[in-house]
Amino acid sequence: MSVQTPTPTPTAVTVTPTGPGGTRPAAAVAVYVLLVVVSLLMLAPFALVVFGAFKTQGEFTSDPGGWLPDSFTNVHNFVVLFTEKGFGRYFLNSAIVSGVTVVTNVLFSAMAGYALAKVPFRGRSLVFGAVVLAMTIPYVAVFVPQFVIVVQLGLVDTLAGIVLPMLVMPIAVFIMRQFATSVPDELLEAARLDGASDVGVFVRVVLPLLGPAVATVAIFTFLNSWNYFLWPLVVAQSTDTYTLPVGLSVASAAANTTDYGVLLAGSVTILVPVLVLFLFLQRYFIQGIAATGLK
Amino acid sequence: MAPTTSSSTSSSASVPTAGPAPSTTRGPAPRRAGRGRRASLDVMGWGFVLPFVVVFVVFSVVPAAMALFLSLTDIGIRDLTSPFAVDVVGLGNYASILGSEDFQRAMLNTALFVVVGVPVTMGAGFVLALALDSGIRRMRSVFRAIVYVPVIANVVAAAVLWQYAFTQQGPVNGFLGALGVDGPNWLGRPGWAVVAVLLLTVWRNIGTCMVLFLAGLQSVPEEVHEAAALDGAGYWRRVTAMTVPLLRPTTLLVSVLMSVSFLNIFDEPYLVTNGGPLSATTSVAKWVYDQFGYGRIADSMAGSMVLLVVVLVVSTAQVRLLRSKH
């Protein structure tokens, strides 16, 4: 951090339109050095995961402190992962859980977000308060009773039991509501005057206008359910219902230290879908954070 | 307690599609506001929020009420299938866990995570946001994306890496050795294990802080800076005298989010060190989970209620404190 040395701004108009920084070359160089160093620190763990996934078991014991694998074409760890460790099944389960929750969250949160933003019904502020409250309840305070409820419903060790509490997440409703407030009232009024029903207004006018919100909620929901760990760990009790994170943590707990290659291949398997998505849609990821944090 | 609605920060440049949304926003005013229109709005509104309300009631309200109730009973593992056939024992569970050494230890550990982790994460996020907002043009969105990537990384995958990378002969110490530093036995020593777990948590949270601070910085009007610069205020003078006070709402929001996040810390200590060595990384949430695993459901619920109260007190206190300063 010391690289960002104080930069007394020259007397007059070197101020840029983007912020309080000067444009002096020395300052710019310091900023770039800081950013490059931090970026390397941020990316080093990913590099280690990928490098490790291509190492043989022998490499882990013969050169435990080394970074690079001997060969990047050794896919043995991935073969073991999918043929012996059951990760094909876990991958499928994760995909099902994420797919279902993405669809239900988009639909239900768009409905709720629209009503909370645009329909002045009695009890609206109560429901909105519930959304905010639900986002602040510590998860450890409710997962045991949630588990009891799922037991009562006969859904322990089923994918349905995993999905149920995530069908519509408060954060999705919150994001959707923030976006829905910007839908112009005139459009809704015009559609009603044209004779559209309440559902018709929602489906034909509101949903199309919520495009960016749908993308944001879909991505956030996918991220949440794909990465979710504690709840599936509690509900899933057999390898038939493990999701990827649960499968990996169980494999990790059972492994001895020479299995790192397989475990890191498992890590790569979990990380890659999200990273690929992020590569193409990072604008929406960051929008989601800004929308939930700042409004 | 509603930190997310209390922020008075104006809409950020990075969310152009979402307009400012004060919670008082009215919907389309019922033009012919007869009694029938009013009632139909109620039916329609509740119809649209119904799926959320059902899930919220079944999986948040009922569980929270149950947790409170069960914390006052003698429920054990066998009663999980008949959770209401238990005896109410009052506050006894609270007395016993608050007096127990391992719960006190978990509270101290959690306090340490918060006191060290929150300022470090926020400070790093703030400096990075300043750097990205300092007028550099090239690669700006690339750097922003890179710092954000750990936020989306799966914690189990990251924890597996941490276990491997921080072994005594592992790549981290290999790297330190190349720099001439003799690396410690990270996961085998209580103090160093805390550092390793903290590093993972900080790594995963910096991006969130950076994005929020960046959005806050971009909502500060340019004229303010230009005027101050013309008056001869240097960069650091402008940062301390103007940026920091103007970012108060953002700072409040980020500190509440981060404090709550660090207070609830579970995944990292559970996965990397399983709370060890010698309980050095056992957080309150980890302790609650452990009691559940041992079948001590009543203690587990009492512990979770203590955590709930602490979370509410800390976030409310932060809102008060940061508001009262100006």
Side-chain angles (χ1 to χ4, degrees):
Chain A
M1 266 154 258
S2 57
V3 277
Q4 237 196 12
T5 45
T7 52
T9 316
T11 42
V13 277
T14 47
V15 183
T16 70
T18 49
T23 49
R24 302 200 327 162
V29 167
V31 167
Y32 277 113
V33 168
L34 171 75
L35 289 174
V36 168
V37 169
V38 170
S39 296
L40 289 177
L41 289 174
M42 289 290 166
L43 293 181
F46 293 102
L48 264 183
V49 171
V50 174
F51 296 164
F54 290 100
K55 286 187 179 182
T56 63
Q57 299 203 357
E59 289 179 71
F60 282 103
T61 39
S62 65
D63 182 19
W67 281 57
L68 287 169
D70 290 340
S71 142
F72 273 105
T73 52
N74 164 36
V75 292
H76 176 74
N77 293 326
F78 291 93
V79 173
V80 170
L81 196 69
F82 281 90
T83 56
E84 292 172 29
K85 302 283 182 184
F87 268 60
R89 175 81 222 191
Y90 309 159
F91 199 102
L92 183 68
N93 288 342
S94 274
I96 292 170
V97 167
S98 302
V100 170
T101 53
V102 165
V103 171
T104 59
N105 270 278
V106 165
L107 178 64
F108 294 150
S109 72
M111 288 165 56
Y114 161 61
L116 289 173
K118 291 296 176 186
V119 183
F121 63 97
R122 270 172 287 188
R124 180 166 73 158
S125 53
L126 180 76
V127 175
F128 185 66
V131 174
V132 175
L133 181 71
M135 292 196 296
T136 57
I137 295 177
Y139 194 66
V140 287
V142 290
F143 84 90
V144 176
Q146 284 185 345
F147 180 66
V148 172
I149 290 168
V150 167
V151 170
Q152 301 290 321
L153 294 172
L155 294 173
V156 175
D157 201 24
T158 65
L159 293 182
I162 295 176
V163 163
L164 221 44
M166 297 193 282
L167 281 181
V168 45
M169 303 184 213
I171 196 162
V173 177
F174 192 84
I175 294 174
M176 216 46 111
R177 177 192 170 276
Q178 300 310 98
F179 280 90
T181 49
S182 66
V183 172
D185 291 341
E186 295 75 25
L187 279 178
L188 305 178
E189 208 54 36
R192 277 194 205 103
L193 288 175
D194 285 348
S197 65
D198 290 337
V199 174
V201 171
F202 174 72
V203 172
R204 281 195 237 117
V205 181
V206 177
L207 265 187
L209 287 173
L210 285 177
V214 168
T216 303
V217 166
I219 286 165
F220 250 60
T221 309
F222 174 78
L223 190 64
N224 272 341
S225 47
W226 184 264
N227 283 341
Y228 216 0
F229 172 60
L230 175 55
W231 177 245
L233 177 73
V234 171
V235 177
Q237 316 216 315
S238 70
T239 52
D240 284 347
T241 44
Y242 283 0
T243 57
L244 280 175
V246 177
L248 182 62
S249 81
V250 170
S252 162
N256 61 54
T257 48
T258 53
D259 284 340
Y260 278 128
V262 175
L263 295 175
L264 292 171
S267 299
V268 170
T269 307
I270 300 183
L271 291 170
V272 161
V274 176
L275 288 176
V276 169
L277 209 64
F278 182 74
L279 199 63
F280 291 105
L281 302 171
Q282 54 130 326
R283 186 161 77 91
Y284 293 104
F285 280 87
I286 291 172
Q287 247 180 27
I289 274 282
T292 50
L294 277 174
K295 298 313 180 59
Chain B
M1 202 278 328
T4 34
T5 51
S6 65
S7 163
S8 59
T9 311
S10 58
S11 79
S12 78
S14 62
V15 198
T17 42
S23 52
T24 51
T25 306
R26 305 298 301 175
R31 295 271 162 80
R32 301 162 299 278
R35 190 160 285 191
R37 179 64 181 148
R38 174 95 215 172
S40 85
L41 280 175
D42 290 345
V43 171
M44 174 191 168
W46 281 99
F48 275 109
V49 297
L50 189 67
F52 166 72
V53 169
V54 169
V55 172
F56 173 70
V57 168
V58 175
F59 288 102
S60 289
V61 175
V62 171
M66 276 173 74
L68 180 60
F69 169 72
L70 294 177
S71 74
L72 304 171
T73 70
D74 64 352
I75 184 170
I77 186 71
R78 282 188 191 78
D79 307 313
L80 273 185
T81 46
S82 53
F84 296 101
V86 291
D87 289 328
V88 174
V89 297
L91 295 171
N93 297 323
Y94 290 90
S96 82
I97 66 164
L98 288 172
S100 85
E101 244 172 61
D102 55 336
F103 185 72
Q104 291 169 358
R105 183 68 202 262
M107 291 212 292
L108 277 177
N109 290 342
T110 306
L112 179 71
F113 283 128
V114 173
V115 168
V116 178
V118 173
V120 169
T121 314
M122 286 181 68
F126 181 67
V127 169
L128 287 171
L130 275 184
L132 286 174
D133 196 51
S134 66
I136 64 159
R137 289 265 184 286
R138 244 168 280 168
M139 304 273 291
R140 198 171 130 149
S141 60
V142 174
F143 285 125
R144 190 182 66 163
I146 288 174
V147 177
Y148 192 75
V149 165
V151 176
I152 64 165
N154 183 278
V155 70
V156 184
V160 164
L161 168 73
W162 243 250
Q163 284 188 319
Y164 149 65
F166 282 87
T167 49
Q168 187 154 17
Q169 308 299 326
V172 169
N173 281 353
F175 177 72
L176 290 176
L179 299 178
V181 180
D182 215 6
N185 179 9
W186 293 91
L187 303 180
R189 298 269 166 215
W192 289 111
V194 170
V195 174
V197 168
L198 265 173
L199 281 174
L200 175 57
T201 319
V202 169
W203 178 74
R204 279 164 43 78
N205 282 287
I206 285 179
T208 303
C209 293
M210 177 206 64
V211 167
L212 292 174
F213 277 126
L214 199 52
L217 283 175
Q218 286 169 351
S219 71
V220 173
E222 302 303 337
E223 303 80 52
V224 179
H225 284 294
E226 285 167 20
L230 288 174
D231 286 346
Y235 180 78
W236 291 111
R237 177 97 185 101
R238 277 180 281 146
V239 167
T240 52
M242 295 165 44
T243 309
V244 170
L246 283 169
L247 280 185
R248 191 173 299 280
T250 308
T251 309
L252 166 65
L253 172 83
V254 179
S255 68
V256 172
L257 281 179
M258 283 302 125
S259 302
V260 168
S261 167
F262 276 80
L263 280 170
N264 284 315
I265 189 170
F266 168 80
D267 293 346
E268 292 88 348
Y270 173 81
L271 289 162
V272 178
T273 55
N274 198 21
L278 303 174
S279 298
T281 55
T282 298
S283 63
V284 173
K286 170 76 167 63
W287 183 91
V288 167
Y289 180 84
D290 286 345
Q291 303 310 304
F292 168 66
Y294 302 148
R296 297 184 204 131
I297 311 296
D299 283 355
S300 169
M301 293 297 87
S304 76
M305 287 297 107
V306 172
L307 182 62
L308 176 74
V309 168
V310 172
V311 165
L312 292 180
V313 166
V314 166
S315 40
T316 313
Q318 279 183 326
V319 172
R320 291 259 164 84
L321 272 178
L322 277 150
R323 271 209 187 130
S324 66
K325 278 189 187 164
H326 260 272

